[in-house]
Amino acid sequence: MTAATSLLAVHPTRVRRGAAALISAALVGLLSLLAGPVALGVLVAAAVLAAAAHRPIYATYAYLLLLPFTAGLGRDTLIPLVRPNELLLALVLLGAAAGGYARFLRGAPVRIRLRPLDVPLIGFVLLSTVWPVESMLLRGVPPELADVMAVAPVAKLVALLVLVRCTVLSEAQLVRCMRLVLWTAAAVGLVAVLQVLGVQPVVSALTSMWASDAGSLPERGTSTLGSSIATGDYLIIGLTLLVSGAMRGLTGRREAVVLGLVLGAGVLASGQFSTWISLAVVGVVVLRRVPGIRRKAVRMLPIAAVALVVGAPALLNRLSDFGSGGGLPSSWQGRWDNLVHFYLPELADSGFLIGISPNSVLRAPETWREVIYLESGYLHFLWVGGIPLLLGFAWLSVAVLRATARLRSRGDAVGAFATTLEAAWWAVLVLSVIDIHLVVRGVGDLLFVLLAIVSARAVREHRAGHRPVPNAAVRAGRGRRPMRWRGLSSWPT
């Protein structure tokens, strides 16, 4: 008898079990091949929910880690009818809320306190979401689905603010959030540089996954945010946070050099005039607010030179636009034509008083384009909510600048975030003349993360009397000397 025959004769039960196992494995393999992405997505979603419920701070970490890579993905790219970053935020919010409710049932205290910045923030949110729809009803215009959906971005940003306010509590968590923002921004900057340099695998990946707002991908660094404007703004915020944190000893020297080189090159690679204007505004604010930065600016010149060389192709390409079309870039002329022919007539006809519609995107009458965008931030406020919304934004801006003024002198991560928010908010105020930078994809999320951190701590600093707090490295006993802030000679015990 052969070995196989003897095995069948001696162990028929084992043979049947083995055959059944092989058939089951084949069926499982076939099902996983057919429904693999769905099953993998369900498993990932369940893991995100469980992690956020177990430790709510993981929800904030996960969102900051994936934000710049998912915000540029459009609807139906990975999930039908939903943007991936919207689904991610919904998952982490649901997990954090479930975990918080479970701890509440076990007797954990619930503390809800209004901060000084919360009142103007709530006012701005109501004027951005509820008031535009109410104004349409007052004028007898029934809101359409596009009008209701147009107020969703602000509601999403408020939900993110609440998440950060409730989860980011300690100095260590603040430093981790800072590093997540810095390193993911550096990844975005690196992709933008490789894109402008024409590295084919990067260009192909961006073309297939991330829809771009630029006519030709290699001309501007749209990166994984799918927008050159969003990429530039995101990198500017990251660069400002890097400088503010490095001056407080929150990052190592080598880390700061590497990040600064990549972020600086990415800013130039974005190929946006608005980004370079923002860089100038932020630079002025940082030079005025961060003590000692002027003395160290000379040391940063080699890094700036290398970044300039890497980002030079996009810079030279954009500057060449001034040589054609009457001396102004064609994109600027197109913006002005859209304002003059489609938006300003509506606003001039009493539309600026209480607003026209939450949706500022118009259908184009031409055949060569489908829609027209309102590319002016302040006119966008008037179009959406009229004078009340514009005044609400002014009220919020004053409150933000006052809050950052109370916190920017601190020598810890809070001071770094406050300085970054002040500089970024000044950039928003300046650039809102030409674009609505407050809710740009990815950038709006980052701004509201900064708002959450600053707004949660402004009242403490107000009560503490403006005294700085030593950074985490000093408190940990690593031997670093604290910064000598101008006009401040002692540290609190």
Side-chain angles (χ1 to χ4, degrees):
M1 297 176 61
T2 63
T5 306
S6 61
L7 180 63
L8 287 172
V10 179
H11 302 291
T13 303
R14 294 182 180 179
V15 172
R16 287 195 297 270
R17 289 178 180 176
L22 288 174
I23 295 174
S24 300
L27 291 176
V28 170
L30 180 61
L31 290 175
S32 63
L33 181 63
L34 296 176
V38 177
L40 180 62
V42 171
L43 289 176
V44 171
V48 171
L49 282 171
H54 176 63
R55 290 286 302 276
I57 187 59
Y58 290 165
T60 299
Y61 292 160
Y63 193 78
L64 289 178
L65 177 64
L66 300 175
L67 169 62
F69 311 111
T70 57
L73 295 172
R75 302 184 190 277
D76 300 325
T77 302
L78 297 176
I79 305 164
L81 304 177
V82 180
R83 290 184 180 273
N85 71 312
E86 295 172 350
L87 178 62
L88 174 63
L89 181 59
L91 286 175
V92 296
L93 283 172
L94 180 61
Y101 182 67
R103 281 181 283 275
F104 170 73
L105 293 179
R106 293 198 300 265
V110 177
R111 299 176 181 177
I112 301 177
R113 298 178 181 177
L114 286 178
R115 296 334 194 225
L117 190 54
D118 291 342
V119 177
L121 182 59
I122 293 173
F124 175 76
V125 170
L126 293 177
L127 290 171
S128 300
T129 55
V130 179
W131 166 246
V133 178
E134 290 293 333
S135 67
M136 293 185 69
L137 296 175
L138 291 175
R139 289 180 281 113
V141 180
E144 299 180 357
L145 179 61
D147 298 319
V148 178
M149 293 298 295
V151 303
V154 176
K156 182 201 75 171
L157 295 177
V158 173
L160 175 61
L161 182 143
V162 173
L163 173 67
V164 177
R165 280 274 295 263
C166 295
T167 57
V168 182
L169 304 176
S170 67
E171 173 77 10
Q173 292 171 346
L174 284 172
V175 174
R176 293 190 194 103
C177 288
M178 183 186 70
R179 279 202 157 86
L180 282 173
V181 172
L182 293 180
W183 282 100
T184 54
V188 171
L190 180 60
V191 172
V193 171
L194 296 177
Q195 175 187 355
V196 171
L197 293 178
V199 178
Q200 193 55 42
V202 175
V203 175
S204 300
L206 293 176
T207 305
S208 60
M209 291 292 294
W210 288 272
S212 170
D213 64 350
S216 177
L217 275 174
E219 294 180 357
R220 302 183 189 180
T222 58
S223 192
T224 55
L225 288 170
S227 166
S228 53
I229 296 176
T231 298
D233 287 356
Y234 203 97
L235 297 179
I236 287 289
I237 294 177
L239 189 60
T240 309
L241 185 59
L242 172 64
V243 173
S244 301
M247 292 300 296
R248 289 167 171 81
L250 299 174
T251 60
R253 292 183 180 180
R254 295 180 181 177
E255 180 185 16
V257 169
V258 172
L259 290 174
L261 177 61
V262 177
L263 291 173
V267 167
L268 296 177
S270 66
Q272 274 292 336
F273 291 113
S274 62
T275 298
W276 303 333
I277 295 172
S278 176
L279 180 62
V281 174
V282 166
V284 171
V285 175
V286 171
L287 287 174
R288 290 177 58 87
R289 301 307 186 197
V290 180
I293 188 66
R294 300 178 188 178
R295 297 191 302 270
K296 295 186 177 181
V298 178
R299 304 178 185 177
M300 301 179 186
L301 290 180
I303 301 176
V306 175
L308 180 61
V309 171
V310 175
L315 177 62
L316 295 176
N317 181 71
R318 292 294 287 151
L319 291 178
S320 65
D321 291 344
F322 280 96
S324 60
L328 292 177
S330 58
S331 60
W332 290 20
Q333 297 176 4
R335 290 185 181 203
W336 178 251
D337 291 339
N338 291 336
L339 291 177
V340 171
H341 293 97
F342 298 102
Y343 290 102
L344 289 180
E346 294 285 340
L347 290 171
D349 190 18
S350 303
F352 69 95
L353 294 177
I354 61 173
I356 297 175
S357 169
N359 184 20
S360 62
V361 180
L362 303 179
R363 293 186 178 274
E366 304 91 352
T367 57
W368 55 273
R369 58 178 177 175
E370 296 181 358
V371 294
I372 303 172
Y373 296 100
L374 176 53
E375 296 179 286
S376 174
Y378 292 113
L379 292 182
H380 176 85
F381 290 135
L382 292 176
W383 183 277
V384 172
I387 293 179
L389 178 55
L390 184 61
L391 293 178
F393 176 70
W395 184 22
L396 176 62
S397 299
V398 172
V400 168
L401 296 178
R402 285 180 176 176
T404 55
R406 292 197 295 266
L407 293 171
R408 65 183 180 227
S409 61
R410 292 177 54 147
D412 57 356
V414 176
F417 278 105
T419 303
T420 304
L421 177 60
E422 181 185 21
W425 203 268
W426 274 113
V428 168
L429 290 174
V430 173
L431 294 177
S432 290
V433 175
I434 55 177
D435 272 310
I436 178 66
H437 285 254
L438 186 62
V439 291
V440 171
R441 68 180 71 166
V443 179
D445 302 70
L446 207 51
L447 282 173
F448 271 72
V449 169
L450 299 176
L451 266 175
I453 293 172
V454 170
S455 63
R457 291 155 180 85
V459 66
R460 292 185 199 167
E461 188 66 13
H462 177 68
R463 294 174 180 174
H466 302 244
R467 293 192 300 173
V469 178
N471 59 47
V474 174
R475 289 204 304 270
R478 298 179 187 173
R480 291 184 182 180
R481 297 179 62 186
M483 294 181 57
R484 293 296 181 182
W485 298 88
R486 232 176 328 186
L488 301 169
S489 58
S490 62
W491 297 91
T493 58

